[in-house]
Amino acid sequence: MAAPRQYPGVMVSSTFADLVEHRVALMKALHGQQLHAVAMEDDSARLVDVLQSSLEKVRDSSAYVVVISRRYGSIPAGHDLSLTHLEFREAVRLGRPILVFVMGPRHALTEADVELDAEKRKKLEAFREEAKLAGGAIHRVYKEFNDLAEFSLAATQSVAELRRMLDGPGQPRPSSEPGIPVPPALYAQPRYLGSHAFVGREAQLTTLSDWAGPSDPHTVLLFEAIGGTGKSILTWEWVTRHASGVRGDRAGTFWYSFYEAGAVMADFCRRALAYMTGRPLADFEAKKQLELTELLVQQLVAQPWLLVLDGLERVLVAYHRLDAAHVHDENAGASGDNPCTSIRPDDDDLLRALVTAAPSKILITSRLIPNVFLNRAGQLIPGVWHERLPGLRPSDAEALLRSCGVFGDSAAMRNYLQLHCDCHPLVIGIIGGLVNDHLPARGDFDQWSTDPRGGGGLVLGGLDLVQKRNHILRAAHAALRDASRQLLSTLALLSESVDYETLSALGAGLDEDLTTTVTDLERRGLLQYDKQTRDYDLHPVVRAVAASGVAMAEKQVLGQRVVDHFSSRRAGRHAEVTCLADLRDDLTVVRTLLQMGKTHMAYAALAGDLLRTMSNGLEARPEVLATIKPFFPEGWSGPAAGLMDHQRVYLAVAAGTALHYLGESEEALPVMESVVQWELQRGDGEAVAHHLANLAVSLERLNKFALYRRAAWLCLDLAEVLDVPYVRYTANSIAFSWLVDAGEVLEAEEMWARLTRSASHALLRGELLEYAKLLVWKGTAAGHDIAMAEAKAQQDGNRLLLRKARRIRGIWCAQRGEWAQAAQEFGEAVSMARVVGLADSLSETWFALARFHLGELPLPVDQAAELASARRPAHLPLARLWLAIGDLPRATEHALTAHRYAWADGEPHVRRFELRQAEELLTEIGAPVPVLPPYDPAEHPKEPWEEQVEGLIAKLRAAKS
């Protein structure tokens, strides 16, 4: 890193004509602190070009100050960025102390002070966003100002602080987040815990060092191998012992393991940004994945960072399951379609963006190659280097085995390890434990390998590498003393590391001292201890093989210890839960009971408060699905043995609901249909009515509007013949929802009157919001009803209804032109969705439209295009946004799509309010309103369940008469 000249010079960087007074105030503040302002005002003619002169000023200065206004400035010939932008990046690269002052939205401006060039405006907004986060590794200040007086005060205070820093010993800036070091120090989340000494791998270490240099064109290096091959220990060895010697200007190194509980891409981004910028994690909590991706890439492009993503397979579909820690390599690719796509589409977008993040380098380890790194022909995309990690070289494999205290003939060792485990590192450590425990001759490899009671008894012919590895691990498991095997098997039932308290509780029933047992497992390479976190853990492969090797009878005994311990620590009052981590013990109980085959007890632990908290209190929809899936091993139509009818119905409905809110309505529909079929087979009319209402919701999500109505009215007919108050209320509720969606105002108000007269049931929260939505569409006051529903949802801790209330109030405000209040409401709804990883494109689009009307939407064209690329765009507000921007063709395109959606199945089965809004918008644009065909009953034949429900109704009527 270039050192500044030894004088207190501070580079002043900004556009000039629009900031003359501000520059005077800034230089006055600098001179007041006896700091020399290095600025263009003092320039004299030099035999270098302007850009070279400016960059030399940055290099010669001890600190750097940038003032960013509403103009982007001149762009040097041959470059894409302005002179000020290039100076800023040079200061960041050099790690200079940086002061950033950005002009706020309320600053008075003349026309000449505003950037009019569209391309430059786009670059200016990107520069302003980049400046918010990027900064020097030593000292950084970021302040916004809205007038000259505010700027002068901020400059005086910040320059004084800078002077104190420059006069000090030059220590690195303190981290704003406890536990996160200051770059370039390594930040590991968490530090890698190895099971054996690192040996060999010279070729791979050389590959890593060659790739990490600035001349290699590949941004991403992916090491792929089966579990236990040594991907993590190799990359950790290189990162901690070799990487620093490859290039000296690296800004910092961040290691992130996806093997830890709660490790997801969003957390990776937040921690990386907190480390890179020195800002607290809380600053990034409310940002969605897309925004985190953009901010992270900005950092990676500005400076050369090294990021390590260890165990990336855990974010792929193949490992999206509650028992991910127990998945075998041979089963990982059998997770339905596209097992190598990311669980969350935004994660694929992040991985794709990382490939373009030069000059930084991204090192990845994974058991699978993510699809996003391959083109349609199955070839690697440019920027990605793939290495399949082989076993160790025979000489290194021998060295690793001897490090375990094993002795014997060198050629025999190498031959055996090559033949029986392809020199697989994890297996070598296990073999070392077997040899050391071979009683006829402890540690003697030659005797063990030929003894039928030892290595000579391992029949491995015809097996592939994974099968050989697992066979040897099972042999090691079987050879353990009872106490060691019991403790290992117990820990294998868990999915994460444990502290000493938990280890002691789970080992309480052993017939020997716990220290002896733990030492035995550590000596054999089966148990690992992290001195920093003081946790005990198993290698993922050891965990998977050990768990599969426990007989069911023993699993019952060991599992009960787990259940008893974690049951005593369960959350208890789920109303006080704020995140999934609070439910970790509860979910461990459910998971363990399932492994024990106690499906009924697992259901009892999950159903009720726990599942309701996950679904409504936390909106943790992906986790709800992952938790429920093991109850249906053969798919949603194939429940596990021991699951009673009402239990499978309850769980299937919860799964279908989760699928709805994750945007998987096509998959949810057959789940809900199967529930109705199950109840029809049982002949339970009340249950059929209840689940017909759930099915109607599924049909609404898929815009099957005619069938939606038929299901709702069948529910009404069934309720009439049953004459049960809560069934009647349920039927009225779903019919009311259809009438609101269809814009049948008079009938909807009549049904609302029926609902409010119900004496046996308190008014539900969802119906209040539906009524508020009706009032909003009618254009009448809805604030009171929204507030009532919001208060009830708040009381219940129902995040979904709270989000809906914010969105409906936002639309109400937007219709009245109250854009500031609308933006606040939509912003709340968007934040609530983002924080739990859900997509809410309707609120996102309205939020963008509100901000545009307030003049606060940066890069509106880009943001509108991004919203249009969503999986399910909100076409109506998106058309309004394009119209406000002035792009009539795209506004027309989305208005036509909104019109077609609102037409649904054709008159009279249309979404009338939305249809009218789309028609009005098309007229405003000047586009013709399409003439679409009316409803044709022939195109919508009855579903099998309709006839069966009609038959049930007829049967019940006959019985009553």
Side-chain angles (χ1 to χ4, degrees):
M1 183 179 292
R5 294 181 182 177
Q6 298 303 308
Y7 73 102
V10 177
M11 173 69 175
V12 175
S13 179
S14 74
T15 50
F16 187 80
D18 56 331
L19 289 172
V20 172
E21 292 179 315
H22 298 77
R23 292 175 67 90
V24 169
L26 176 57
M27 285 186 274
K28 180 179 179 181
L30 290 169
H31 295 155
Q33 292 293 330
Q34 289 76 53
L35 293 171
H36 174 66
V38 181
M40 65 177 70
E41 287 89 336
D42 302 323
D43 242 355
S44 57
R46 301 180 65 185
L47 299 178
V48 293
D49 63 26
V50 174
L51 176 59
Q52 182 180 343
S53 172
S54 295
L55 296 183
E56 284 183 7
K57 287 186 177 74
V58 177
R59 295 171 192 139
D60 289 345
S61 298
S62 298
Y64 173 86
V65 183
V66 62
V67 186
I68 304 176
S69 65
R70 292 294 178 177
R71 292 193 62 82
Y72 188 56
S74 61
I75 298 177
H79 293 270
D80 293 327
L81 303 179
S82 72
L83 187 63
T84 304
H85 201 160
L86 291 168
E87 291 169 350
F88 174 82
R89 286 199 171 177
E90 180 68 4
V92 169
R93 185 187 73 81
L94 295 170
R96 294 289 185 261
I98 291 180
L99 308 185
V100 180
F101 299 96
V102 176
M103 185 177 287
R106 298 185 302 278
H107 199 291
L109 297 169
T110 66
E111 184 177 349
D113 296 331
V114 179
E115 184 61 68
L116 300 178
D117 183 281
E119 187 61 28
K120 282 189 173 184
R121 287 185 67 177
K122 181 178 178 180
K123 291 180 179 181
L124 174 62
E125 292 301 332
F127 182 24
R128 290 167 69 92
E129 188 64 27
E130 180 181 334
K132 287 183 181 179
L133 296 178
I138 298 175
H139 181 80
R140 177 185 178 277
V141 169
Y142 174 89
K143 291 191 177 180
E144 200 170 88
F145 62 92
N146 286 289
D147 55 44
L148 181 60
E150 189 176 347
F151 172 81
S152 299
L153 177 61
T156 300
Q157 295 172 340
S158 300
V159 169
E161 182 182 351
L162 175 64
R163 175 80 238 197
R164 288 192 294 272
M165 190 282 301
L166 291 175
D167 288 341
Q171 295 299 316
R173 62 163 170 80
S175 173
S176 296
E177 185 70 31
I180 297 182
V182 176
L186 169 66
Y187 172 32
Q189 180 61 28
R191 296 183 67 83
Y192 172 71
L193 174 62
S195 60
H196 56 77
F198 179 82
V199 297
R201 299 293 194 192
E202 286 85 2
Q204 287 76 31
L205 291 172
T206 299
T207 294
L208 282 161
S209 294
D210 289 345
W211 159 78
S215 61
D216 187 273
H218 301 90
T219 304
V220 172
L221 173 56
L222 170 68
F223 271 109
E224 179 212 359
I226 65 171
T229 307
K231 304 181 294 296
S232 299
I233 196 172
L234 165 65
T235 50
W236 182 257
E237 169 73 14
W238 179 77
V239 164
T240 56
R241 296 179 182 272
H242 301 263
S244 61
V246 176
R247 59 183 302 172
D249 63 342
R250 186 175 292 119
T253 303
F254 176 41
W255 166 289
Y256 188 88
S257 172
F258 288 92
Y259 292 121
E260 298 302 302
V264 293
M265 278 294 201
D267 183 64
F268 160 75
C269 287
R270 292 182 184 111
R271 291 185 177 277
L273 286 166
Y275 169 61
M276 293 171 166
T277 65
R279 295 172 61 183
L281 277 169
D283 285 6
F284 305 100
E285 285 300 328
K287 297 185 183 298
K288 66 176 181 177
Q289 181 70 59
L290 183 60
E291 187 176 2
L292 292 170
T293 296
E294 292 175 350
L295 294 175
L296 181 59
V297 171
Q298 287 174 8
Q299 294 291 323
L300 296 172
V301 170
Q303 297 184 90
W305 297 86
L306 172 63
L307 304 187
V308 185
L309 290 73
D310 185 39
L312 187 68
E313 71 271 4
R314 291 300 181 91
V315 308
L316 304 180
V317 169
Y319 285 84
H320 180 42
R321 44 198 291 183
L322 191 65
D323 59 345
H326 302 114
V327 176
H328 289 263
D329 289 290
E330 59 269 34
N331 298 327
S335 302
D337 297 333
N338 300 320
C340 295
T341 57
S342 296
I343 300 162
R344 296 173 174 83
D346 287 346
D347 292 352
D348 276 339
D349 294 339
L350 170 59
L351 292 174
R352 191 179 294 109
L354 290 179
V355 178
T356 67
S360 293
K361 296 287 187 174
I362 316 298
L363 176 58
I364 297 173
T365 72
S366 177
R367 298 191 197 184
L368 301 169
I369 304 176
N371 280 347
V372 73
F373 290 154
L374 304 173
N375 61 23
R376 293 183 178 179
Q379 300 171 324
L380 292 169
I381 61 175
V384 178
W385 182 351
H386 170 244
E387 284 280 324
R388 189 179 298 277
L389 189 62
L392 295 170
R393 294 170 53 214
S395 58
D396 295 330
E398 177 193 352
L400 179 57
L401 185 58
R402 289 188 183 278
S403 73
C404 298
V406 175
F407 57 89
D409 180 71
S410 176
M413 283 186 182
R414 297 184 185 189
N415 181 62
Y416 186 95
L417 296 176
Q418 277 188 288
L419 180 65
H420 290 83
C421 69
D422 288 358
C423 298
H424 188 287
L426 177 67
V427 178
I428 293 171
I430 305 303
I431 288 176
L434 290 171
V435 176
N436 283 319
D437 258 23
H438 187 54
L439 293 179
R442 288 181 180 271
D444 189 328
F445 177 82
D446 299 333
Q447 286 213 26
W448 174 84
S449 62
T450 56
D451 191 334
R453 295 167 296 176
L458 294 174
V459 181
L460 304 174
L463 302 182
D464 62 24
L465 174 57
V466 172
Q467 293 169 327
K468 289 176 182 178
R469 180 202 66 189
N470 293 350
H471 188 84
I472 292 173
L473 283 170
R474 292 189 184 104
H477 185 254
L480 291 171
R481 300 197 305 269
D482 284 347
S484 298
R485 182 177 48 76
Q486 286 181 26
L487 184 58
L488 180 67
S489 299
T490 305
L491 295 175
L493 294 175
L494 306 175
S495 60
E496 56 194 53
S497 61
V498 299
D499 55 20
Y500 178 73
E501 176 194 354
T502 300
L503 184 74
S504 299
L506 299 181
L510 300 176
D511 56 6
E512 70 178 20
D513 178 65
L514 180 62
T515 301
T516 302
T517 305
V518 169
T519 302
D520 180 49
L521 291 173
E522 288 178 326
R523 181 174 56 83
R524 295 170 181 268
L526 297 171
L527 180 65
Q528 305 166 20
Y529 176 65
D530 187 334
K531 292 182 179 179
Q532 288 197 331
T533 64
R534 299 183 179 181
D535 284 342
Y536 295 83
D537 204 0
L538 306 180
H539 189 282
V541 174
V542 173
R543 189 187 304 279
V545 173
S548 65
V550 183
M552 183 54 73
E554 185 176 21
K555 194 175 288 186
Q556 299 284 336
V557 176
L558 303 179
Q560 194 59 51
R561 293 179 189 169
V562 175
V563 170
D564 290 344
H565 174 69
F566 285 96
S567 293
S568 67
R569 308 196 320 181
R570 291 174 68 182
R573 294 192 62 183
H574 292 105
E576 299 173 1
V577 166
T578 59
C579 63
L580 268 177
D582 295 336
L583 298 176
R584 185 173 299 163
D585 295 336
D586 301 70
L587 293 173
T588 297
V589 170
V590 174
R591 186 186 304 116
T592 306
L593 288 168
L594 283 169
Q595 292 184 77
M596 295 165 65
K598 295 187 176 183
T599 308
H600 181 69
M601 294 180 67
Y603 170 85
L606 175 63
D609 281 350
L610 176 56
L611 188 53
R612 187 162 46 249
T613 299
M614 294 174 68
S615 300
N616 297 336
L618 300 177
E619 288 193 281
R621 309 294 180 180
E623 290 74 16
V624 166
L625 278 180
T627 306
I628 294 176
K629 276 183 179 179
F631 289 92
F632 295 85
E634 305 301 325
W636 299 119
S637 60
L643 204 60
M644 300 174 68
D645 288 341
H646 74 279
Q647 295 172 337
R648 73 173 178 176
V649 166
Y650 176 84
L651 293 176
V653 170
T657 303
L659 288 167
H660 281 317
Y661 290 111
L662 289 172
E664 303 293 344
S665 297
E666 292 284 356
E667 186 179 351
L669 180 61
V671 177
M672 295 306 196
E673 286 179 328
S674 68
V675 168
V676 173
Q677 295 281 4
W678 292 339
E679 299 296 9
L680 283 166
Q681 292 171 13
R682 294 175 58 225
D684 187 337
E686 294 180 21
V688 170
H690 179 74
H691 296 301
L692 262 178
N694 289 330
L695 177 57
V697 174
S698 300
L699 296 167
E700 186 276 330
R701 296 293 170 84
L702 292 169
N703 210 28
K704 296 178 180 288
F705 220 63
L707 191 53
Y708 170 26
R709 185 193 186 282
R710 298 205 308 256
W713 260 251
L714 273 176
C715 192
L716 280 174
D717 292 343
L718 188 53
E720 180 184 357
V721 71
L722 288 169
D723 196 23
V724 177
Y726 88 87
V727 175
R728 189 183 304 112
Y729 190 92
T730 298
N732 288 342
S733 176
I734 195 63
F736 174 66
S737 293
W738 186 89
L739 291 167
V740 172
D741 290 331
E744 301 290 348
V745 177
L746 293 178
E747 292 183 61
E749 289 179 336
E750 289 176 7
M751 188 62 73
W752 176 249
R754 275 201 233 174
L755 283 167
T756 56
R757 286 196 302 267
S758 296
S760 59
H761 269 68
L763 194 63
L764 298 180
R765 285 73 173 147
E767 284 81 4
L768 265 173
L769 284 178
E770 285 295 305
Y771 183 63
K773 185 167 70 174
L774 176 66
L775 295 178
V776 169
W777 280 343
K778 285 173 58 181
T780 55
H784 174 70
D785 299 276
I786 298 172
M788 282 182 61
E790 194 172 26
K792 291 176 181 292
Q794 189 77 52
Q795 181 181 350
D796 293 346
N798 192 317
R799 293 184 83 260
L800 171 62
L801 292 184
L802 282 171
R803 276 201 301 117
K804 284 186 175 180
R806 301 275 198 277
R807 183 199 303 154
I808 292 172
R809 186 184 285 112
I811 294 173
W812 181 46
C813 294
Q815 287 182 350
R816 298 187 300 171
E818 298 172 356
W819 292 111
Q821 184 63 34
Q824 181 176 335
E825 299 297 334
F826 290 127
E828 286 287 334
V830 166
S831 295
M832 291 180 71
R834 289 178 182 179
V835 79
V836 292
L838 296 178
D840 185 354
S841 58
L842 183 57
S843 296
E844 293 271 5
T845 309
W846 274 109
F847 185 43
L849 181 59
R851 293 180 69 200
F852 181 87
H853 280 287
L854 294 170
E856 297 175 356
L857 183 67
L859 305 175
V861 172
D862 289 358
Q863 294 220 30
E866 178 189 324
L867 291 165
S869 67
R871 192 176 179 188
R872 289 176 176 80
H875 292 287
L876 196 56
L878 189 54
R880 294 191 179 282
L881 179 58
W882 282 121
L883 179 60
I885 291 171
D887 192 325
L888 293 184
R890 289 203 252 194
T892 304
E893 174 191 346
H894 287 282
L896 287 170
T897 305
H899 182 272
R900 181 65 193 87
Y901 175 79
W903 188 255
D905 292 327
E907 287 284 6
H909 303 293
V910 299
R911 298 175 180 269
R912 197 160 310 283
F913 285 119
E914 294 172 67
L915 185 65
R916 186 176 66 202
Q917 290 175 350
E919 290 173 348
E920 291 172 352
L921 185 56
L922 285 167
T923 301
E924 183 180 350
I925 293 171
V929 176
V931 178
L932 299 176
Y935 173 67
D936 183 358
E939 295 183 2
H940 302 272
K942 283 187 176 180
E943 298 291 327
W945 51 265
E946 289 185 86
E947 296 182 349
Q948 293 170 16
V949 173
E950 289 172 349
L952 175 62
I953 293 171
K955 180 180 177 181
L956 291 171
R957 280 180 176 153
K960 290 185 75 172
S961 62

